[in-house]
Amino acid sequence: MDFDHSIFLKNIAQTTGQPFMLEVAYAKGIYLYSPDGREYIDMISGIAVSNLGHRHPKVIEAIRNQLDRHLHVMVYGEFIQSSPNLLAKKLTSLLPENLNCAYFTNSGTEANEGALKLAKRYTCRSEIISFRGAYHGSTHGSLSVSGNEVKKYAYRPLLPDVRFLTFNNTAQLDQITARTACVIIEPVQGDAGVRIPDKEYLIALRKRCDQVGALLIFDEIQTGIGRTGKLYAFEHFGVTPDILTSAKALGGGLPIGAFISSYEIMQSLTHDPMLGHITTFGGNPVSCASALAILEVIEQEQLLLQVEDRGELIEKLLDHPKIIEIRRIGLMFAIEFATEEEVYHIVQKCLERGVVCFWFLSCPTSFRIAPPINISVEEIKKACNIIKSAFDEL
Ligand code: PMP
């Protein structure tokens, strides 16, 4: 298959001057294949999406079964369909008692938009608190609560009444007050370069939100579905949010997001006004079937149990004097070097040698690794040998 790169560059809207330009013909397991049959180890899972690798057979089977039943039949929330029903039942059964009601969206950013609206509606307050370094998505609301000013300034005015605190700084928690509708936080900041807070900090944050009646939203769009060794990262910290947002790996390669809260809180979307959040495609039956299969496979194959060991192995195998720091939780890595140029060199060299690594949005001196959580020890050794050869050339 001969592909015309000019179509990609001219007829598909570009968002960067230097796209990655890897041409993919098909994908299976942890591998991507180019049209000439060249194999690439996917060490980023399409940015924390293909957490069980590409085209897991049970996911494909679930998608096929749903294709034979029906595709879209109605906008969100009107018709009863077994695929979103079964997904909601399974997902909420894996979560704490208060997270028992899911609203399925199309994407991560829409899940956050829904969560922010829900918090404002439920509390009848307007202030939203977020954190420096946060990334919550690219639509207006999510962008308003994201920290990176470089990505925001051209789109102002954004949402008013948003205040930013320093991540993991307990002294600032008193800025959350009885005016605050909600605090939105990634329990581990992803695109800031894998920033892991102290457990005590998240406990204190939960306590402060309870004191002033603000809802706590955990954005687990990147950290969810086993990436950190738990189904959701909040389980590491023993802190439960009022609203959880999920997307990316939830759909196993198909687009889906969710904001999940209590039945009581969610009820506020039904009145004043009714239809408090509307979507045509949210809860798409094929995406829901795929998501259900993902949750079942993780459970049946007990995949969460091996995440920490695999993470440790990668960390050990990549150890190198040029590394400044490795920040890791489970199989979510930021590998920090002295300069942006070094990071650029490493990611390019890895690609040339058949391993896909990638950058962070807001941390140019680190590169990311987030392989499928079912990666084998042999595959890890193979990938780490290649990555290390790029370190050796610095
Ligand atoms: N929140 C977090 C923590 C994310 O990592 C992302 C995507 N990188 C989003 C929200 C936005 O998700 P989406 O791209 O599906 O809109």
PDB file of all heavy atoms in Angstrom, residues 47-49 106-112 134-139 142 146 184-191 219-223 245-248 256-257 332 361 368, ligand 1:
ATOM      1  N   ILE A  47      -1.147   6.461  23.806  1.00  0.00           N
ATOM      2  CA  ILE A  47      -1.236   7.303  25.005  1.00  0.00           C
ATOM      3  C   ILE A  47      -2.298   6.758  25.966  1.00  0.00           C
ATOM      4  O   ILE A  47      -3.420   7.298  26.086  1.00  0.00           O
ATOM      5  CB  ILE A  47      -1.481   8.806  24.716  1.00  0.00           C
ATOM      6  CG1 ILE A  47      -0.589   9.311  23.590  1.00  0.00           C
ATOM      7  CG2 ILE A  47      -1.303   9.611  25.997  1.00  0.00           C
ATOM      8  CD1 ILE A  47       0.789   9.758  23.941  1.00  0.00           C
ATOM      9  N   ALA A  48      -1.882   5.678  26.617  1.00  0.00           N
ATOM     10  CA  ALA A  48      -2.675   5.089  27.713  1.00  0.00           C
ATOM     11  C   ALA A  48      -4.093   4.699  27.280  1.00  0.00           C
ATOM     12  O   ALA A  48      -5.044   4.852  28.043  1.00  0.00           O
ATOM     13  CB  ALA A  48      -2.710   6.047  28.916  1.00  0.00           C
ATOM     14  N   VAL A  49      -4.216   4.219  26.043  1.00  0.00           N
ATOM     15  CA  VAL A  49      -5.525   3.749  25.559  1.00  0.00           C
ATOM     16  C   VAL A  49      -5.553   2.224  25.425  1.00  0.00           C
ATOM     17  O   VAL A  49      -6.401   1.556  26.010  1.00  0.00           O
ATOM     18  CB  VAL A  49      -5.885   4.413  24.204  1.00  0.00           C
ATOM     19  CG1 VAL A  49      -7.097   3.743  23.579  1.00  0.00           C
ATOM     20  CG2 VAL A  49      -6.151   5.906  24.398  1.00  0.00           C
ATOM     21  N   ASN A 106     -18.472  10.678  25.018  1.00  0.00           N
ATOM     22  CA  ASN A 106     -17.709  10.269  23.831  1.00  0.00           C
ATOM     23  C   ASN A 106     -16.201  10.318  24.027  1.00  0.00           C
ATOM     24  O   ASN A 106     -15.455   9.715  23.284  1.00  0.00           O
ATOM     25  CB  ASN A 106     -18.036  11.197  22.665  1.00  0.00           C
ATOM     26  CG  ASN A 106     -19.502  11.171  22.344  1.00  0.00           C
ATOM     27  OD1 ASN A 106     -19.966  10.260  21.683  1.00  0.00           O
ATOM     28  ND2 ASN A 106     -20.244  12.142  22.843  1.00  0.00           N
ATOM     29  N   SER A 107     -15.763  11.091  25.008  1.00  0.00           N
ATOM     30  CA  SER A 107     -14.325  11.354  25.116  1.00  0.00           C
ATOM     31  C   SER A 107     -14.001  11.750  26.544  1.00  0.00           C
ATOM     32  O   SER A 107     -14.907  11.951  27.381  1.00  0.00           O
ATOM     33  CB  SER A 107     -13.946  12.527  24.202  1.00  0.00           C
ATOM     34  OG  SER A 107     -14.594  13.706  24.670  1.00  0.00           O
ATOM     35  N   GLY A 108     -12.701  11.915  26.799  1.00  0.00           N
ATOM     36  CA  GLY A 108     -12.258  12.342  28.119  1.00  0.00           C
ATOM     37  C   GLY A 108     -12.676  13.761  28.434  1.00  0.00           C
ATOM     38  O   GLY A 108     -13.214  14.054  29.503  1.00  0.00           O
ATOM     39  N   THR A 109     -12.448  14.641  27.494  1.00  0.00           N
ATOM     40  CA  THR A 109     -12.771  16.040  27.780  1.00  0.00           C
ATOM     41  C   THR A 109     -14.261  16.211  28.026  1.00  0.00           C
ATOM     42  O   THR A 109     -14.670  16.969  28.907  1.00  0.00           O
ATOM     43  CB  THR A 109     -12.239  16.977  26.665  1.00  0.00           C
ATOM     44  OG1 THR A 109     -12.242  18.309  27.157  1.00  0.00           O
ATOM     45  CG2 THR A 109     -13.043  16.890  25.376  1.00  0.00           C
ATOM     46  N   GLU A 110     -15.093  15.464  27.311  1.00  0.00           N
ATOM     47  CA  GLU A 110     -16.537  15.592  27.536  1.00  0.00           C
ATOM     48  C   GLU A 110     -16.927  15.034  28.905  1.00  0.00           C
ATOM     49  O   GLU A 110     -17.854  15.552  29.551  1.00  0.00           O
ATOM     50  CB  GLU A 110     -17.336  14.901  26.428  1.00  0.00           C
ATOM     51  CG  GLU A 110     -18.826  15.229  26.513  1.00  0.00           C
ATOM     52  CD  GLU A 110     -19.725  14.256  25.777  1.00  0.00           C
ATOM     53  OE1 GLU A 110     -19.228  13.342  25.101  1.00  0.00           O
ATOM     54  OE2 GLU A 110     -20.946  14.412  25.906  1.00  0.00           O
ATOM     55  N   ALA A 111     -16.227  14.009  29.347  1.00  0.00           N
ATOM     56  CA  ALA A 111     -16.484  13.480  30.698  1.00  0.00           C
ATOM     57  C   ALA A 111     -16.197  14.566  31.738  1.00  0.00           C
ATOM     58  O   ALA A 111     -16.959  14.763  32.693  1.00  0.00           O
ATOM     59  CB  ALA A 111     -15.625  12.248  30.955  1.00  0.00           C
ATOM     60  N   ASN A 112     -15.098  15.301  31.537  1.00  0.00           N
ATOM     61  CA  ASN A 112     -14.775  16.385  32.477  1.00  0.00           C
ATOM     62  C   ASN A 112     -15.775  17.538  32.379  1.00  0.00           C
ATOM     63  O   ASN A 112     -16.153  18.124  33.398  1.00  0.00           O
ATOM     64  CB  ASN A 112     -13.351  16.889  32.246  1.00  0.00           C
ATOM     65  CG  ASN A 112     -12.320  15.909  32.786  1.00  0.00           C
ATOM     66  OD1 ASN A 112     -12.628  15.135  33.699  1.00  0.00           O
ATOM     67  ND2 ASN A 112     -11.116  15.934  32.243  1.00  0.00           N
ATOM     68  N   ALA A 134      -2.036  20.818  35.538  1.00  0.00           N
ATOM     69  CA  ALA A 134      -3.128  19.893  35.201  1.00  0.00           C
ATOM     70  C   ALA A 134      -3.397  19.855  33.701  1.00  0.00           C
ATOM     71  O   ALA A 134      -3.240  20.862  33.009  1.00  0.00           O
ATOM     72  CB  ALA A 134      -4.410  20.339  35.914  1.00  0.00           C
ATOM     73  N   TYR A 135      -3.817  18.701  33.211  1.00  0.00           N
ATOM     74  CA  TYR A 135      -4.385  18.611  31.865  1.00  0.00           C
ATOM     75  C   TYR A 135      -5.721  17.888  31.962  1.00  0.00           C
ATOM     76  O   TYR A 135      -5.793  16.753  32.445  1.00  0.00           O
ATOM     77  CB  TYR A 135      -3.478  17.866  30.881  1.00  0.00           C
ATOM     78  CG  TYR A 135      -4.106  17.861  29.499  1.00  0.00           C
ATOM     79  CD1 TYR A 135      -4.115  19.015  28.724  1.00  0.00           C
ATOM     80  CD2 TYR A 135      -4.747  16.736  29.004  1.00  0.00           C
ATOM     81  CE1 TYR A 135      -4.749  19.039  27.476  1.00  0.00           C
ATOM     82  CE2 TYR A 135      -5.380  16.754  27.756  1.00  0.00           C
ATOM     83  CZ  TYR A 135      -5.370  17.908  27.003  1.00  0.00           C
ATOM     84  OH  TYR A 135      -6.003  17.942  25.779  1.00  0.00           O
ATOM     85  N   HIS A 136      -6.781  18.564  31.508  1.00  0.00           N
ATOM     86  CA  HIS A 136      -8.111  17.955  31.593  1.00  0.00           C
ATOM     87  C   HIS A 136      -8.815  17.892  30.246  1.00  0.00           C
ATOM     88  O   HIS A 136      -9.966  17.464  30.194  1.00  0.00           O
ATOM     89  CB  HIS A 136      -8.970  18.714  32.607  1.00  0.00           C
ATOM     90  CG  HIS A 136      -8.452  18.623  34.010  1.00  0.00           C
ATOM     91  ND1 HIS A 136      -8.380  17.420  34.694  1.00  0.00           N
ATOM     92  CD2 HIS A 136      -7.952  19.565  34.851  1.00  0.00           C
ATOM     93  CE1 HIS A 136      -7.876  17.638  35.908  1.00  0.00           C
ATOM     94  NE2 HIS A 136      -7.597  18.919  36.031  1.00  0.00           N
ATOM     95  N   GLY A 137      -8.159  18.345  29.175  1.00  0.00           N
ATOM     96  CA  GLY A 137      -8.788  18.254  27.866  1.00  0.00           C
ATOM     97  C   GLY A 137      -8.752  19.571  27.133  1.00  0.00           C
ATOM     98  O   GLY A 137      -8.287  20.592  27.660  1.00  0.00           O
ATOM     99  N   SER A 138      -9.286  19.573  25.913  1.00  0.00           N
ATOM    100  CA  SER A 138      -9.041  20.688  24.996  1.00  0.00           C
ATOM    101  C   SER A 138     -10.305  21.471  24.630  1.00  0.00           C
ATOM    102  O   SER A 138     -10.222  22.437  23.883  1.00  0.00           O
ATOM    103  CB  SER A 138      -8.373  20.134  23.738  1.00  0.00           C
ATOM    104  OG  SER A 138      -7.777  21.146  23.003  1.00  0.00           O
ATOM    105  N   THR A 139     -11.464  21.078  25.135  1.00  0.00           N
ATOM    106  CA  THR A 139     -12.668  21.889  24.906  1.00  0.00           C
ATOM    107  C   THR A 139     -12.679  23.034  25.919  1.00  0.00           C
ATOM    108  O   THR A 139     -11.909  23.022  26.887  1.00  0.00           O
ATOM    109  CB  THR A 139     -13.935  21.027  25.025  1.00  0.00           C
ATOM    110  OG1 THR A 139     -13.884  20.320  26.267  1.00  0.00           O
ATOM    111  CG2 THR A 139     -14.030  20.028  23.894  1.00  0.00           C
ATOM    112  N   SER A 142     -12.804  22.232  29.870  1.00  0.00           N
ATOM    113  CA  SER A 142     -11.621  21.456  30.300  1.00  0.00           C
ATOM    114  C   SER A 142     -10.345  22.278  30.135  1.00  0.00           C
ATOM    115  O   SER A 142      -9.436  22.205  30.965  1.00  0.00           O
ATOM    116  CB  SER A 142     -11.501  20.169  29.484  1.00  0.00           C
ATOM    117  OG  SER A 142     -12.650  19.390  29.625  1.00  0.00           O
ATOM    118  N   SER A 146      -7.330  23.519  32.846  1.00  0.00           N
ATOM    119  CA  SER A 146      -5.991  22.970  32.604  1.00  0.00           C
ATOM    120  C   SER A 146      -4.956  24.044  32.906  1.00  0.00           C
ATOM    121  O   SER A 146      -5.235  25.238  32.782  1.00  0.00           O
ATOM    122  CB  SER A 146      -5.861  22.493  31.152  1.00  0.00           C
ATOM    123  OG  SER A 146      -6.724  21.389  30.934  1.00  0.00           O
ATOM    124  N   ILE A 184     -11.109  19.862  40.892  1.00  0.00           N
ATOM    125  CA  ILE A 184     -10.814  18.821  39.895  1.00  0.00           C
ATOM    126  C   ILE A 184      -9.316  18.559  39.901  1.00  0.00           C
ATOM    127  O   ILE A 184      -8.512  19.494  39.825  1.00  0.00           O
ATOM    128  CB  ILE A 184     -11.352  19.186  38.493  1.00  0.00           C
ATOM    129  CG1 ILE A 184     -11.052  18.037  37.507  1.00  0.00           C
ATOM    130  CG2 ILE A 184     -10.817  20.507  37.963  1.00  0.00           C
ATOM    131  CD1 ILE A 184     -11.836  18.111  36.202  1.00  0.00           C
ATOM    132  N   ILE A 185      -8.966  17.292  40.013  1.00  0.00           N
ATOM    133  CA  ILE A 185      -7.543  16.944  40.141  1.00  0.00           C
ATOM    134  C   ILE A 185      -7.276  15.581  39.500  1.00  0.00           C
ATOM    135  O   ILE A 185      -8.137  14.689  39.559  1.00  0.00           O
ATOM    136  CB  ILE A 185      -7.128  16.947  41.640  1.00  0.00           C
ATOM    137  CG1 ILE A 185      -5.618  16.775  41.811  1.00  0.00           C
ATOM    138  CG2 ILE A 185      -7.881  15.888  42.449  1.00  0.00           C
ATOM    139  CD1 ILE A 185      -5.116  17.081  43.230  1.00  0.00           C
ATOM    140  N   GLU A 186      -6.114  15.457  38.889  1.00  0.00           N
ATOM    141  CA  GLU A 186      -5.646  14.129  38.483  1.00  0.00           C
ATOM    142  C   GLU A 186      -4.940  13.546  39.715  1.00  0.00           C
ATOM    143  O   GLU A 186      -3.980  14.178  40.190  1.00  0.00           O
ATOM    144  CB  GLU A 186      -4.623  14.237  37.355  1.00  0.00           C
ATOM    145  CG  GLU A 186      -5.117  14.869  36.076  1.00  0.00           C
ATOM    146  CD  GLU A 186      -3.960  15.471  35.257  1.00  0.00           C
ATOM    147  OE1 GLU A 186      -3.352  14.751  34.468  1.00  0.00           O
ATOM    148  OE2 GLU A 186      -3.669  16.671  35.441  1.00  0.00           O
ATOM    149  N   PRO A 187      -5.365  12.422  40.225  1.00  0.00           N
ATOM    150  CA  PRO A 187      -4.691  11.890  41.423  1.00  0.00           C
ATOM    151  C   PRO A 187      -3.200  11.627  41.178  1.00  0.00           C
ATOM    152  O   PRO A 187      -2.408  11.672  42.124  1.00  0.00           O
ATOM    153  CB  PRO A 187      -5.453  10.618  41.761  1.00  0.00           C
ATOM    154  CG  PRO A 187      -6.379  10.375  40.646  1.00  0.00           C
ATOM    155  CD  PRO A 187      -6.515  11.616  39.830  1.00  0.00           C
ATOM    156  N   VAL A 188      -2.839  11.355  39.951  1.00  0.00           N
ATOM    157  CA  VAL A 188      -1.436  11.429  39.528  1.00  0.00           C
ATOM    158  C   VAL A 188      -1.441  12.296  38.273  1.00  0.00           C
ATOM    159  O   VAL A 188      -2.122  11.959  37.296  1.00  0.00           O
ATOM    160  CB  VAL A 188      -0.863  10.037  39.192  1.00  0.00           C
ATOM    161  CG1 VAL A 188       0.525  10.164  38.577  1.00  0.00           C
ATOM    162  CG2 VAL A 188      -0.845   9.137  40.413  1.00  0.00           C
ATOM    163  N   GLN A 189      -0.741  13.415  38.297  1.00  0.00           N
ATOM    164  CA  GLN A 189      -0.753  14.279  37.107  1.00  0.00           C
ATOM    165  C   GLN A 189      -0.020  13.580  35.969  1.00  0.00           C
ATOM    166  O   GLN A 189       1.146  13.165  36.128  1.00  0.00           O
ATOM    167  CB  GLN A 189      -0.086  15.621  37.405  1.00  0.00           C
ATOM    168  CG  GLN A 189      -0.990  16.567  38.190  1.00  0.00           C
ATOM    169  CD  GLN A 189      -0.442  17.981  38.254  1.00  0.00           C
ATOM    170  OE1 GLN A 189       0.771  18.191  38.196  1.00  0.00           O
ATOM    171  NE2 GLN A 189      -1.336  18.951  38.374  1.00  0.00           N
ATOM    172  N   GLY A 190      -0.703  13.455  34.821  1.00  0.00           N
ATOM    173  CA  GLY A 190      -0.127  12.727  33.698  1.00  0.00           C
ATOM    174  C   GLY A 190       0.745  13.597  32.813  1.00  0.00           C
ATOM    175  O   GLY A 190       1.971  13.453  32.776  1.00  0.00           O
ATOM    176  N   ASP A 191       0.113  14.548  32.113  1.00  0.00           N
ATOM    177  CA  ASP A 191       0.853  15.303  31.111  1.00  0.00           C
ATOM    178  C   ASP A 191       1.807  16.337  31.699  1.00  0.00           C
ATOM    179  O   ASP A 191       2.601  16.938  30.978  1.00  0.00           O
ATOM    180  CB  ASP A 191      -0.116  15.919  30.098  1.00  0.00           C
ATOM    181  CG  ASP A 191      -0.652  14.837  29.166  1.00  0.00           C
ATOM    182  OD1 ASP A 191       0.180  14.091  28.619  1.00  0.00           O
ATOM    183  OD2 ASP A 191      -1.865  14.700  29.017  1.00  0.00           O
ATOM    184  N   ASP A 219      -9.948  13.150  37.984  1.00  0.00           N
ATOM    185  CA  ASP A 219      -9.808  12.883  36.558  1.00  0.00           C
ATOM    186  C   ASP A 219      -8.837  11.714  36.411  1.00  0.00           C
ATOM    187  O   ASP A 219      -7.627  11.869  36.579  1.00  0.00           O
ATOM    188  CB  ASP A 219      -9.283  14.146  35.854  1.00  0.00           C
ATOM    189  CG  ASP A 219      -8.961  13.915  34.381  1.00  0.00           C
ATOM    190  OD1 ASP A 219      -8.865  12.742  33.956  1.00  0.00           O
ATOM    191  OD2 ASP A 219      -8.771  14.908  33.658  1.00  0.00           O
ATOM    192  N   GLU A 220      -9.411  10.531  36.133  1.00  0.00           N
ATOM    193  CA  GLU A 220      -8.586   9.320  35.972  1.00  0.00           C
ATOM    194  C   GLU A 220      -8.598   8.870  34.513  1.00  0.00           C
ATOM    195  O   GLU A 220      -8.575   7.675  34.218  1.00  0.00           O
ATOM    196  CB  GLU A 220      -9.100   8.227  36.901  1.00  0.00           C
ATOM    197  CG  GLU A 220      -8.911   8.572  38.368  1.00  0.00           C
ATOM    198  CD  GLU A 220      -8.055   7.546  39.098  1.00  0.00           C
ATOM    199  OE1 GLU A 220      -7.207   6.869  38.451  1.00  0.00           O
ATOM    200  OE2 GLU A 220      -8.240   7.429  40.314  1.00  0.00           O
ATOM    201  N   ILE A 221      -8.660   9.846  33.642  1.00  0.00           N
ATOM    202  CA  ILE A 221      -8.729   9.538  32.218  1.00  0.00           C
ATOM    203  C   ILE A 221      -7.430   8.874  31.749  1.00  0.00           C
ATOM    204  O   ILE A 221      -7.455   7.939  30.957  1.00  0.00           O
ATOM    205  CB  ILE A 221      -9.079  10.833  31.452  1.00  0.00           C
ATOM    206  CG1 ILE A 221     -10.564  11.127  31.713  1.00  0.00           C
ATOM    207  CG2 ILE A 221      -8.761  10.744  29.966  1.00  0.00           C
ATOM    208  CD1 ILE A 221     -10.992  12.544  31.470  1.00  0.00           C
ATOM    209  N   GLN A 222      -6.320   9.310  32.284  1.00  0.00           N
ATOM    210  CA  GLN A 222      -5.039   8.696  31.911  1.00  0.00           C
ATOM    211  C   GLN A 222      -4.620   7.593  32.890  1.00  0.00           C
ATOM    212  O   GLN A 222      -3.982   6.618  32.506  1.00  0.00           O
ATOM    213  CB  GLN A 222      -3.952   9.781  31.869  1.00  0.00           C
ATOM    214  CG  GLN A 222      -2.718   9.338  31.137  1.00  0.00           C
ATOM    215  CD  GLN A 222      -1.756  10.463  30.817  1.00  0.00           C
ATOM    216  OE1 GLN A 222      -0.562  10.280  30.892  1.00  0.00           O
ATOM    217  NE2 GLN A 222      -2.229  11.620  30.429  1.00  0.00           N
ATOM    218  N   THR A 223      -4.973   7.743  34.154  1.00  0.00           N
ATOM    219  CA  THR A 223      -4.496   6.805  35.185  1.00  0.00           C
ATOM    220  C   THR A 223      -5.394   5.578  35.330  1.00  0.00           C
ATOM    221  O   THR A 223      -5.021   4.632  36.029  1.00  0.00           O
ATOM    222  CB  THR A 223      -4.423   7.512  36.554  1.00  0.00           C
ATOM    223  OG1 THR A 223      -5.648   8.231  36.756  1.00  0.00           O
ATOM    224  CG2 THR A 223      -3.264   8.479  36.624  1.00  0.00           C
ATOM    225  N   THR A 245     -13.858  10.675  36.660  1.00  0.00           N
ATOM    226  CA  THR A 245     -13.958  10.697  35.198  1.00  0.00           C
ATOM    227  C   THR A 245     -12.971   9.695  34.610  1.00  0.00           C
ATOM    228  O   THR A 245     -11.860   9.514  35.106  1.00  0.00           O
ATOM    229  CB  THR A 245     -13.729  12.101  34.596  1.00  0.00           C
ATOM    230  OG1 THR A 245     -12.418  12.567  34.920  1.00  0.00           O
ATOM    231  CG2 THR A 245     -14.766  13.084  35.096  1.00  0.00           C
ATOM    232  N   SER A 246     -13.431   9.034  33.564  1.00  0.00           N
ATOM    233  CA  SER A 246     -12.661   7.956  32.943  1.00  0.00           C
ATOM    234  C   SER A 246     -12.841   8.071  31.438  1.00  0.00           C
ATOM    235  O   SER A 246     -13.840   8.609  30.963  1.00  0.00           O
ATOM    236  CB  SER A 246     -13.207   6.620  33.462  1.00  0.00           C
ATOM    237  OG  SER A 246     -12.403   5.540  33.061  1.00  0.00           O
ATOM    238  N   ALA A 247     -11.869   7.609  30.680  1.00  0.00           N
ATOM    239  CA  ALA A 247     -11.988   7.580  29.204  1.00  0.00           C
ATOM    240  C   ALA A 247     -10.806   6.752  28.682  1.00  0.00           C
ATOM    241  O   ALA A 247     -10.479   5.726  29.289  1.00  0.00           O
ATOM    242  CB  ALA A 247     -11.989   8.982  28.610  1.00  0.00           C
ATOM    243  N   LYS A 248     -10.160   7.217  27.621  1.00  0.00           N
ATOM    244  CA  LYS A 248      -8.966   6.554  27.072  1.00  0.00           C
ATOM    245  C   LYS A 248      -9.083   5.025  27.076  1.00  0.00           C
ATOM    246  O   LYS A 248      -9.784   4.462  26.259  1.00  0.00           O
ATOM    247  CB  LYS A 248      -7.731   7.024  27.835  1.00  0.00           C
ATOM    248  CG  LYS A 248      -7.274   8.426  27.404  1.00  0.00           C
ATOM    249  CD  LYS A 248      -5.904   8.741  27.966  1.00  0.00           C
ATOM    250  CE  LYS A 248      -5.343  10.060  27.518  1.00  0.00           C
ATOM    251  NZ  LYS A 248      -4.701  10.051  26.223  1.00  0.00           N
ATOM    252  N   ILE A 256     -14.906   6.289  24.123  1.00  0.00           N
ATOM    253  CA  ILE A 256     -15.915   6.371  25.179  1.00  0.00           C
ATOM    254  C   ILE A 256     -15.294   7.089  26.371  1.00  0.00           C
ATOM    255  O   ILE A 256     -14.081   6.993  26.601  1.00  0.00           O
ATOM    256  CB  ILE A 256     -16.445   4.968  25.597  1.00  0.00           C
ATOM    257  CG1 ILE A 256     -17.630   5.101  26.566  1.00  0.00           C
ATOM    258  CG2 ILE A 256     -15.345   4.123  26.214  1.00  0.00           C
ATOM    259  CD1 ILE A 256     -18.355   3.780  26.823  1.00  0.00           C
ATOM    260  N   GLY A 257     -16.117   7.811  27.100  1.00  0.00           N
ATOM    261  CA  GLY A 257     -15.706   8.387  28.376  1.00  0.00           C
ATOM    262  C   GLY A 257     -16.833   8.176  29.360  1.00  0.00           C
ATOM    263  O   GLY A 257     -17.910   7.694  28.998  1.00  0.00           O
ATOM    264  N   MET A 332       3.186   3.507  34.397  1.00  0.00           N
ATOM    265  CA  MET A 332       3.098   4.897  33.916  1.00  0.00           C
ATOM    266  C   MET A 332       4.413   5.573  34.288  1.00  0.00           C
ATOM    267  O   MET A 332       4.695   5.755  35.463  1.00  0.00           O
ATOM    268  CB  MET A 332       1.907   5.560  34.609  1.00  0.00           C
ATOM    269  CG  MET A 332       1.620   6.972  34.240  1.00  0.00           C
ATOM    270  SD  MET A 332       0.047   7.447  35.068  1.00  0.00           S
ATOM    271  CE  MET A 332      -0.097   9.122  34.506  1.00  0.00           C
ATOM    272  N   LEU A 361       2.897  16.687  27.146  1.00  0.00           N
ATOM    273  CA  LEU A 361       2.432  18.021  26.752  1.00  0.00           C
ATOM    274  C   LEU A 361       3.148  19.124  27.523  1.00  0.00           C
ATOM    275  O   LEU A 361       3.460  20.165  26.979  1.00  0.00           O
ATOM    276  CB  LEU A 361       0.929  18.146  27.044  1.00  0.00           C
ATOM    277  CG  LEU A 361      -0.030  17.616  25.991  1.00  0.00           C
ATOM    278  CD1 LEU A 361      -1.448  17.668  26.529  1.00  0.00           C
ATOM    279  CD2 LEU A 361       0.085  18.438  24.725  1.00  0.00           C
ATOM    280  N   ARG A 368       7.767   9.732  27.796  1.00  0.00           N
ATOM    281  CA  ARG A 368       6.809   8.847  28.461  1.00  0.00           C
ATOM    282  C   ARG A 368       6.915   7.413  27.976  1.00  0.00           C
ATOM    283  O   ARG A 368       7.205   7.151  26.807  1.00  0.00           O
ATOM    284  CB  ARG A 368       5.394   9.361  28.296  1.00  0.00           C
ATOM    285  CG  ARG A 368       4.739   9.068  26.985  1.00  0.00           C
ATOM    286  CD  ARG A 368       3.234   9.277  27.065  1.00  0.00           C
ATOM    287  NE  ARG A 368       2.842  10.664  26.923  1.00  0.00           N
ATOM    288  CZ  ARG A 368       1.888  11.247  27.641  1.00  0.00           C
ATOM    289  NH1 ARG A 368       1.241  10.575  28.571  1.00  0.00           N
ATOM    290  NH2 ARG A 368       1.575  12.504  27.417  1.00  0.00           N
TER     291      ARG A 368
HETATM  292  N1  PMP B   1      -7.731  14.287  31.297  1.00  0.00           N
HETATM  293  C1  PMP B   1      -6.538  13.686  31.294  1.00  0.00           C
HETATM  294  C2  PMP B   1      -5.847  13.428  32.597  1.00  0.00           C
HETATM  295  C3  PMP B   1      -5.936  13.293  30.099  1.00  0.00           C
HETATM  296  O1  PMP B   1      -4.739  12.708  30.100  1.00  0.00           O
HETATM  297  C4  PMP B   1      -6.624  13.543  28.886  1.00  0.00           C
HETATM  298  C5  PMP B   1      -6.009  13.170  27.556  1.00  0.00           C
HETATM  299  N2  PMP B   1      -4.645  13.250  27.482  1.00  0.00           N
HETATM  300  C6  PMP B   1      -7.878  14.168  28.937  1.00  0.00           C
HETATM  301  C7  PMP B   1      -8.388  14.524  30.157  1.00  0.00           C
HETATM  302  C8  PMP B   1      -8.659  14.478  27.684  1.00  0.00           C
HETATM  303  O2  PMP B   1      -9.144  13.308  27.116  1.00  0.00           O
HETATM  304  P1  PMP B   1      -9.596  13.320  25.580  1.00  0.00           P
HETATM  305  O3  PMP B   1      -8.359  13.521  24.764  1.00  0.00           O
HETATM  306  O4  PMP B   1     -10.255  11.973  25.367  1.00  0.00           O
HETATM  307  O5  PMP B   1     -10.569  14.421  25.429  1.00  0.00           O
END
